[in-house]
Amino acid sequence: MPWRTGPRDRAAGVRPDPYRVWLSEVMLQQTTVAAVKSYFLAFTERWPTVTALAAARDEDVMAAWAGLGYYARARNLLKCARVVAQDYGGQFPQDHATLLTLPGVGRYTAAAVSAIAFDDPQVVVDGNVERVMARLHDEHTPLPQAKPVLTGYAAALTPVARPGDYAQAVMDLGATICTPKRPACGLCPWRAPCAAWAAGTMAELPKKAPKKRKPTRHGIAYLARRVDGAWLLERRPDKGLLGGMLGWPGSDWSDDPAEAPPIRAEWRELGEEARHTFTHFHLRLTVKTALVPMERTPDRGDFIEAPDFSPSDLPTVMRKAFDLAQGSWSKVR
DNA sequence: GACACGTGGCT
DNA sequence: TAGCCAAGTGT
């Protein structure tokens, strides 16, 4: 993984760069390694230091984060970079309690940065560690109730020597061997002391509270293209779903959304809805398209010149609407 | 403690 | 296809 340093680096006395550790940990929050890799490389290439990131324009960072999800992370990432640049002289604070005060840095990330970047033996507990501890101790109390107990188990194992390597090793164990389904116990270095292995309960741990089912909401997205090729887009407010991201103007998302065209035009409805699932609801998005003349002024949103817009700047749900419209327009042609 | 907050891959 | 799941944080 591009954010890891190797044994040769450390033998030469090289410590991991706190900026890269922090950036990777924020990207990895609730997100898979496979999804993070290309984003991490793009960010570090474009903004090699926290000072460089702090100087970036908001819209550039949001566009670079587009597709990775949980966009509050990107807003907090920028806030945090600016705090580090302005209040800490561009150097990440090494103190765990101070790290915890930074925007977007919670218990997990503060502990991970402390251990990995600063060799400070803080207790790193993520979903992997919870699963490994639940199995190691055959803990049947469901999450999130079991969290304090599992954290206690993790604390008892955290070593003073090489806490960063230890934390990453346990997370790697959880990610590759002690997996949620069908754990590879035959390969596990901790099989002998594992209480769940002894009891045969490893596949059913950790227990979790049952999930609530997701309701389905509906919405309308309006994709207007000006005759010169410019696109009508809108910056979403910082708070709430997809906060700070670019999107197509649209209706609210509800049981029965009202029409909300952002500009006077002959709107054509596509035959297919864009479907997307968020954390807590399913969305079926009706897509309407229109071609509008040069002189007409939108009620909402702004026209962005074609060369200044890339669909990769959009959150995935908005890109799905775009993709559907592309298909329909090419069919007409 | 409960809930809001994305996305893509896997089963 | 639909549900589950991933290196969480903020409110």
Side-chain angles (χ1 to χ4, degrees):
Chain A
M1 304 171 198
W3 47 86
R4 292 266 172 103
T5 54
R8 274 168 272 93
D9 294 318
R10 273 195 310 279
V14 176
R15 292 297 309 172
D17 177 357
Y19 168 64
R20 296 167 62 89
V21 174
W22 161 76
L23 179 62
S24 66
E25 293 300 342
V26 172
M27 287 183 166
L28 286 163
Q29 291 167 6
Q30 298 284 286
T31 309
T32 57
V33 166
V36 164
K37 266 185 187 164
S38 63
Y39 285 86
F40 179 85
L41 292 171
F43 267 69
T44 51
E45 168 84 12
R46 185 164 176 187
W47 300 295
T49 65
V50 69
T51 309
L53 181 59
R57 298 190 315 183
D58 291 34
E59 60 260 43
D60 289 339
V61 173
M62 298 314 287
W65 195 277
L68 202 52
Y70 282 134
Y71 297 100
R73 291 186 296 172
R75 302 195 301 274
N76 285 328
L77 190 82
L78 248 183
K79 276 190 204 166
C80 181
R82 288 170 181 164
V83 169
V84 171
Q86 287 161 27
D87 298 352
Y88 297 99
Q91 302 294 316
F92 271 85
Q94 302 199 18
D95 174 59
H96 175 255
T98 308
L99 285 170
L100 258 180
T101 68
L102 297 173
V105 177
R107 278 153 55 131
Y108 164 75
T109 305
V113 171
S114 292
I116 298 167
F118 299 126
D119 203 33
D120 179 1
Q122 297 292 329
V123 182
V124 177
V125 181
D126 71 336
N128 288 305
V129 175
E130 287 176 353
R131 185 170 58 255
V132 171
M133 295 302 138
R135 288 173 176 168
L136 205 51
H137 295 273
D138 198 32
E139 177 58 62
H140 287 243
T141 307
L143 285 168
Q145 204 189 327
K147 177 122 184 160
V149 180
L150 298 176
T151 300
Y153 293 144
L157 284 172
T158 300
V160 174
R162 299 171 62 190
D165 286 348
Y166 167 78
Q168 293 178 85
V170 180
M171 293 191 284
D172 287 352
L173 183 72
T176 61
I177 292 175
C178 195
T179 49
K181 292 168 192 170
R182 297 155 51 94
C185 301
L187 298 173
C188 185
W190 277 356
R191 187 178 60 185
C194 183
W197 165 258
T201 54
M202 53 279 174
E204 57 194 75
L205 296 177
K207 304 271 194 197
K208 292 190 177 179
K211 312 249 167 171
K212 291 193 296 190
R213 65 172 285 275
K214 297 178 188 350
T216 297
R217 296 187 196 168
H218 300 264
I220 310 166
Y222 297 89
L223 278 64
R225 190 148 204 210
R226 208 166 55 186
V227 290
D228 68 340
W231 298 96
L232 183 57
L233 288 150
E234 190 173 60
R235 180 72 56 184
R236 299 173 64 89
D238 269 351
K239 301 268 179 186
L241 193 66
L242 309 179
M245 298 301 290
L246 214 49
W248 307 111
S251 69
D252 58 342
W253 295 347
S254 59
D255 276 350
D256 186 21
E259 288 282 351
I263 189 169
R264 184 165 55 83
E266 280 187 33
W267 292 100
R268 294 188 32 205
E269 180 174 331
L270 298 188
E272 194 182 349
E273 293 171 318
R275 291 187 180 199
H276 191 73
T277 298
F278 292 99
T279 316
H280 49 299
F281 65 94
H282 303 289
L283 178 66
R284 289 175 175 228
L285 200 54
T286 298
V287 180
K288 300 197 178 194
T289 62
L291 193 63
V292 300
M294 286 304 292
E295 61 275 12
R296 202 166 291 174
T297 308
D299 299 323
R300 290 163 48 202
D302 295 289
F303 280 104
I304 299 184
E305 305 290 338
D308 297 335
F309 169 69
S310 161
S312 65
D313 296 348
L314 298 173
T316 299
V317 62
M318 300 293 174
R319 193 182 42 70
K320 284 181 181 177
F322 175 85
D323 289 346
L324 278 183
Q326 286 302 100
S328 94
W329 283 333
S330 60
K331 267 179 221 157
V332 170
R333 188 176 297 237

